[in-house]
Structures are given as C-alpha cells and as structure tokens.
C-alpha cells in the first residue's frame, strides 16, 4: 500500500503567493509521500507546466497525483513527467472510465462523503477490483479551500464513513495538527491537508511535525 498517511493537497489558491513547486519540494523534504496538485482555475497548459516542475521534486520520493484533470495527467505522463495518478470527484468522469484511460498501474482516488457514494464505490470495486485505490472522505470540518464541500462530518462522522468503506480512506477538510489523534482513532489510512502545509511559514517543518504526530498516534 502506498503511503497516504500525511497527504498534501497542494492547492494553487492557498500558497500565500509562493510558487507551488517550492512548497511541494519543502513538503517532500519534510517526509510527505503523497502530493495531489489542485489547480482549479488554471488553464491546462499552465497546469501541465506546474505538474512538470513539481515532478522534479517528487520523482522517486513521493507519489504525485493530479486533481480532476485526467487530460493534464495523461499529457504530463506523455511528456515524460513522473506522475503516479489522479484524484477525481463525484461530478467528474466516472471512475471506471478514468481507470480505462489511465491504465491499471496508475493511482486513482475518489472523493466520497455520503453513504450512497461510499456504497457505490464499494460495489464498483467488488465488480471490478482495483478500479479505485482509496477514497477521500470529507469534509471533516468546514474549509474555505473548497467552497462546494458537503456538510462537515466531524470526527464521529468520519469514523462512521470509514467503517462503511471497503477501501482505504483519507480524511480531508480543514484538518491540521490537532486532528491527528481523531483521524487515527476514526480508522482513516491518512489525513489530507491543505493550509496546514501550504500556508505554513515553514512547510518543511510543518510536514515533519504532522508526520511525527501521525507516527506517534499510530504506534
């Protein structure tokens, strides 16, 4: 299983004006093993360039996933960038079609928050094993980085969702250092963060602190 423990969602809108690839480089130095690039309003050519720059820092050290844009992922891979997969939402191309496009070896994550969404993911993977690799479950808390987030689950709701899922779950939504114990107790495989690293004064130190807390909570 890939290391999803401290999972950075590198959001182009949350960098406090710093280059996204520099934040990713610092996070990887701090021990982060999975990075998802989220550039919601960026033109495809510019997003592709961000992926290529970021992959220089993650290659051989962390998995680099592209949020939503399967076309950008495929273009980056065709250009020789080290990219490992994509993360999609409920309104994106259906997971089974994305899997057909990206092939059997790429990572595919799917956002899910409602009982029906989790049940559908379980059913899809039961019929076609390996279609989805993990679920991104949230929002645990309300967060300004994703305006269309569903009703916050809280830690109790997260635990309930994880118990329903046959897939590994990565918690997401307004999470930071204070949430590590609750996320681990809820049974999640990992914790995705945005501002806790992207907006930190020292992203490398913030990453290392989160990872240390996670490792301490899972011992």
């Amino acid at each position: 299983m890939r290391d999803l423990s401290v999972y950075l969602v590198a959001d182009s809108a949350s960098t406090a004006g710093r280059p996204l690839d520099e934040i990713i480089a610092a996070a990887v130095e701090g021990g982060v093993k999975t990075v998802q690039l989220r550039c919601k309003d960026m033109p495809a050519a510019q997003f592709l360039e961000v992926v290529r720059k970021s992959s220089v820092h993650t290659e051989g050290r962390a998995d680099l996933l592209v949020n939503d844009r399967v076309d950008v992922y495929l273009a980056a891979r065709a250009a020789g960038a080290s990219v490992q997969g994509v993360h999609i939402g409920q309104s994106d191309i259906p997971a089974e079609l994305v899997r057909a496009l990206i092939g059997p070896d790429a990572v595919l994550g799917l956002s899910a928050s409602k009982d029906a969404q989790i049940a559908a993911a379980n059913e899809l993977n039961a019929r076609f094993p390996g279609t989805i690799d993990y679920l991104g479950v949230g929002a645990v808390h309300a967060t300004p980085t994703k305006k269309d987030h569903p009703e916050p689950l809280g830690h109790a709701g997260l635990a309930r969702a994880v118990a329903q899922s046959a897939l590994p779950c990565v918690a997401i939504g307004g999470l930071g250092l204070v949430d590590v114990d609750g996320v681990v107790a809820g049974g999640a495989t990992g914790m995705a963060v945005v501002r806790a690293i992207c907006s930190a004064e020292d992203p490398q130190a913030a990453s290392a602190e989160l990872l240390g807390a996670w490792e301490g909570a899972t011992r």
Side-chain angles (χ1 to χ4, degrees):
M1 184 62 198
R2 297 171 185 272
D3 187 345
L4 300 169
S5 57
V6 176
Y7 177 129
L8 170 62
V9 178
D11 189 328
S12 60
S14 303
T15 65
R18 294 172 293 186
L20 200 54
D21 62 298
E22 289 183 12
I23 291 173
I24 290 167
V28 171
E29 286 295 326
V32 168
K33 299 297 184 189
T34 302
V35 177
Q36 178 195 138
L37 273 172
R38 187 164 75 187
C39 303
K40 287 289 188 185
D41 301 316
M42 194 175 285
Q46 187 180 351
F47 194 174
L48 174 61
E49 188 58 26
V50 171
V51 175
R52 294 179 70 173
K53 283 184 176 180
S54 300
S55 70
V56 172
H57 305 297
T58 58
E59 186 170 7
R61 304 180 71 187
D63 287 331
L64 184 62
L65 312 180
V66 175
N67 176 269
D68 291 352
R69 298 296 300 270
V70 179
D71 58 334
V72 172
Y73 164 76
L74 292 172
R77 191 171 70 179
S82 178
V83 283
Q84 282 66 52
V86 295
H87 183 94
I88 59 172
Q90 292 290 323
S91 61
D92 293 318
I93 298 169
E96 61 271 26
L97 298 181
V98 174
R99 175 56 72 192
L101 289 167
I102 66 178
D105 298 326
V107 179
L108 176 55
L110 173 67
S111 295
S113 61
K114 299 176 181 176
D115 293 357
Q117 295 169 349
I118 294 171
N122 288 343
E123 182 183 353
L124 178 60
N125 257 35
R127 285 190 293 122
F128 304 106
T131 301
I132 304 165
D133 292 304
Y134 71 91
L135 296 181
V137 177
V140 178
H141 306 307
T143 169
T145 65
K146 194 168 173 60
K147 300 289 192 291
D148 59 346
H149 65 74
E151 185 69 23
L153 298 172
H155 286 164
L158 170 67
R160 181 174 173 276
V162 170
Q164 292 178 319
S165 177
L167 290 155
C169 293
V170 176
I172 189 168
L175 297 173
L177 195 61
V178 298
D179 294 289
V180 171
D181 287 343
V183 170
V184 170
T189 300
M191 184 173 89
V193 300
V194 183
R195 290 172 298 155
I197 292 176
C198 287
S199 300
E201 187 174 333
D202 186 338
Q204 181 177 337
S207 300
E209 188 175 19
L210 283 162
L211 195 61
W214 184 274
E215 290 172 349
T218 53
R219 283 197 186 105

